[in-house]
Amino acid sequence: MSSERHPTLCQVVHEVVERTPVFDIHTHLFDPAFESLVSWGIDELLTYHYLIAESFRTAEAPEDHFWGLNKQEKADWIWKQLFLERSPLSEACRGVLTSLRLLGIDAKERDLPALRRHFAQWTPGTFTDRILEIAKVRKVCMTNLPFDNEERAYWEKGISRHPSFVAALRLDPLLLEWEKTAGQLHAWGYDVRADLSGQTMGEVRRFLGDWCVRMDSQYCMVSLPPDWTCPATNGTNRLLTEAVLPAAREHGQAFAMMIGVRRGVNPLLRMAGDSLAPADVPSVEAICAAFPENKFVCTMLARENQHALCVAARKFRNLHIFGCWWFLNNPSLIEEITRMRIEMLGLGVTPQHSDCRVMDQLGYKWNHSRPILAKVLSEKYSDLSDTGWHVTRAEIERDVHSLLGGEFERFIGRS
Ligand code: HDL
Ligand code: ZN
């Protein structure tokens, strides 16, 4: 492999990637100020929906008893099914153990009650600062839903924000469940109608402006199903093109589209029951072409869409692609996708985000992804050296900062 021809270069690349602080551009984590919404600790780690899906495969009709258990009982069962009765080889299982190791917690005794006792040393606030330090994460972007009553209450009362947490305005209820959401907006004083008539579009723009300002949101975002197409004359696309995109231009918001989820293919798994399907990349190209003044950020869930999405990003400078999302966040696929993206887009991409739901996961998700990025970059810099072009450490540091959130900040106008 070409990196073997330049071992020193390879060592420098790995060192720089390991130590460069990252902007994690999409997570489901909350600033500790959102108290009741903060998820951390071993029982939250073990009841992550990825592990619920995996543990359900190990027993007959587990849903009959699992959903009736409390959080600790659920974690006990998952620990037994996935860690004690069989080796925890999956990426999500490995992640639990990496997170514990990075926190200095030794799991080799396999004693879950003893593991729990370690977490008593922290509060949500001190744990947050410790995990940000361990994971070398300089900024965490949350997923923020003004439509969620519990979260909205924190925004409306006003909170003292943690400096490392920023907000993104999530719009799934507005774009995908308008009939229900119209009632919420109307109750909040926005003159909107379920049939989108009257002042609806202007009032939705006013709602979006109010929340972009209140949250100081980095960008607006939506998760779209695989059958989403553009152009189209449905309610989703009318709200998107007549309200969301104009508001995004007015308030300097990029618009992030996460495309390919099929919700609830197995309802028995509840949040763990979502799947995927290949989506329509020409629709991404069409919306970028139709709205050249808007900035689009995009990730797609199907492995089959990744090459075409790279080509789309080559065609439209107002399109920035990111992440190995969800079912793609596995070492074999991260390496394949990252290598393809750098070969086709150079440094104009954000290779990874964590999608963490549990604060502890920042440790493992970045600890697992960094070496893969370093491996691919080492190869590419070695190939560059073979042409006689030798990069300096400072140039490597510049490039890695760019890939770990710096280019994204430039793209969204927040650098
Ligand atoms: O819609 C999304 O943002 C997805 O990331 C879902 O939250 C999904 O459940 C998830 O957690 N993926 O990692
Ligand atoms: Zn997510």
Side-chain angles (χ1 to χ4, degrees):
M1 185 59 77
S2 56
S3 53
E4 289 156 6
R5 294 199 303 281
H6 305 277
T8 308
L9 174 62
C10 181
Q11 288 165 345
V12 169
V13 173
H14 276 264
E15 181 194 321
V16 170
V17 172
E18 284 301 326
R19 65 193 294 184
T20 299
V22 64
F23 173 14
D24 195 343
I25 71 169
H26 170 57
T27 78
H28 299 271
L29 300 178
F30 280 93
D31 171 336
F34 289 85
E35 297 162 338
S36 60
L37 295 173
V38 176
S39 172
W40 69 291
I42 186 67
D43 290 323
E44 293 289 317
L45 266 179
L46 286 169
T47 54
Y48 183 37
H49 68 80
Y50 292 25
L51 292 172
I52 290 174
E54 292 176 26
S55 62
F56 272 31
R57 298 183 46 74
T58 65
E60 292 307 315
E63 57 277 351
D64 293 347
H65 79 278
F66 181 83
W67 296 117
L69 302 176
N70 64 34
K71 177 73 76 174
Q72 185 168 306
E73 291 166 338
K74 289 187 174 85
D76 288 339
W77 187 76
I78 291 171
W79 181 255
K80 176 171 107 27
Q81 298 301 111
L82 296 180
F83 291 78
L84 299 185
E85 293 189 357
R86 43 188 65 76
S87 295
L89 286 172
S90 75
E91 180 64 6
C93 285
R94 172 193 170 214
V96 171
L97 300 177
T98 299
S99 293
L100 293 171
R101 177 178 60 80
L102 293 170
L103 286 164
I105 299 172
D106 183 342
K108 68 173 179 295
E109 298 306 322
R110 296 154 167 72
D111 179 350
L112 182 52
L115 296 177
R116 284 193 179 103
R117 288 192 288 273
H118 279 280
F119 287 84
Q121 65 185 291
W122 292 293
T123 66
T126 57
F127 186 81
T128 297
D129 291 336
R130 181 66 184 124
I131 204 71
L132 290 174
E133 179 189 15
I134 289 172
K136 294 185 280 302
V137 172
R138 63 182 172 87
K139 197 187 306 183
V140 177
C141 195
M142 303 182 281
T143 297
N144 299 105
L145 270 170
F147 313 97
D148 175 276
N149 294 332
E150 187 176 1
E151 179 180 348
R152 190 174 64 257
Y154 286 105
W155 290 109
E156 288 176 340
K157 83 175 180 182
I159 48 176
S160 172
R161 300 272 297 276
H162 188 292
S164 298
F165 285 76
V166 293
L169 180 52
R170 185 67 175 250
L171 298 176
D172 296 32
L174 188 142
L175 287 170
L176 304 178
E177 302 172 304
W178 174 248
E179 286 65 31
K180 185 177 86 173
T181 306
Q184 276 189 300
L185 264 68
H186 198 273
W188 297 334
Y190 298 95
D191 182 16
V192 299
R193 298 180 190 170
D195 65 1
L196 300 177
S197 64
Q199 302 304 312
T200 297
M201 295 305 177
E203 286 292 88
V204 170
R205 288 198 294 272
R206 183 167 70 89
F207 164 79
L208 293 169
D210 290 348
W211 280 94
C212 285
V213 170
R214 174 174 283 156
M215 292 178 167
D216 183 25
S217 61
Q218 303 285 297
Y219 58 88
C220 297
M221 65 190 301
V222 67
S223 176
L224 292 167
D227 58 1
W228 174 76
T229 57
C230 176
T233 53
N234 54 47
T236 293
N237 279 36
R238 280 204 59 203
L239 283 159
L240 178 55
T241 58
E242 298 174 40
V244 173
L245 294 183
R249 291 194 297 272
E250 182 183 352
H251 296 280
Q253 299 284 297
F255 184 69
M257 302 179 289
M258 305 173 70
I259 311 174
V261 190
R262 289 168 54 234
R263 296 289 184 195
V265 297
N266 183 352
L268 295 175
L269 272 62
R270 298 185 186 179
M271 182 191 281
D274 297 338
S275 184
L276 66 81
D280 187 58
V281 176
S283 290
V284 177
E285 293 170 335
I287 201 165
C288 291
F291 296 92
E293 300 309 310
N294 280 91
K295 290 180 177 177
F296 295 94
V297 178
C298 186
T299 195
M300 296 181 89
L301 194 48
R303 181 189 187 188
E304 298 87 334
N305 285 139
Q306 300 308 316
H307 181 254
L309 188 59
C310 281
V311 174
R314 287 171 61 89
K315 301 307 145 190
F316 293 97
R317 67 169 173 274
N318 62 331
L319 174 61
H320 182 91
I321 66 177
F322 77 98
C324 297
W325 180 28
W326 200 342
F327 304 112
L328 299 174
N329 196 4
N330 299 310
S332 58
L333 296 176
I334 295 169
E335 181 171 340
E336 169 190 290
I337 294 167
T338 300
R339 183 175 285 114
M340 172 169 59
R341 284 169 169 174
I342 289 177
E343 288 167 353
M344 295 180 75
L345 297 167
L347 297 164
V349 63
T350 298
Q352 189 61 296
H353 69 286
S354 72
D355 229 316
C356 290
R357 288 181 170 274
V358 183
M359 199 73 80
D360 322 35
Q361 293 171 336
L362 281 174
Y364 94 77
K365 297 231 185 193
W366 288 106
N367 179 270
H368 291 182
S369 287
R370 286 179 190 264
I372 301 168
L373 175 60
K375 176 182 178 185
V376 173
L377 280 177
S378 296
E379 287 172 19
K380 296 307 169 188
Y381 283 124
S382 297
D383 292 346
L384 215 49
S385 290
D386 292 348
T387 71
W389 184 287
H390 304 292
V391 288
T392 65
R393 173 188 278 268
E395 288 170 331
I396 295 170
E397 288 170 349
R398 172 203 63 194
D399 298 344
V400 170
H401 169 75
S402 175
L403 289 169
L404 294 183
E407 174 60 15
F408 182 76
E409 286 168 322
R410 183 200 64 77
F411 182 77
I412 66 170
R414 294 274 181 149
S415 55

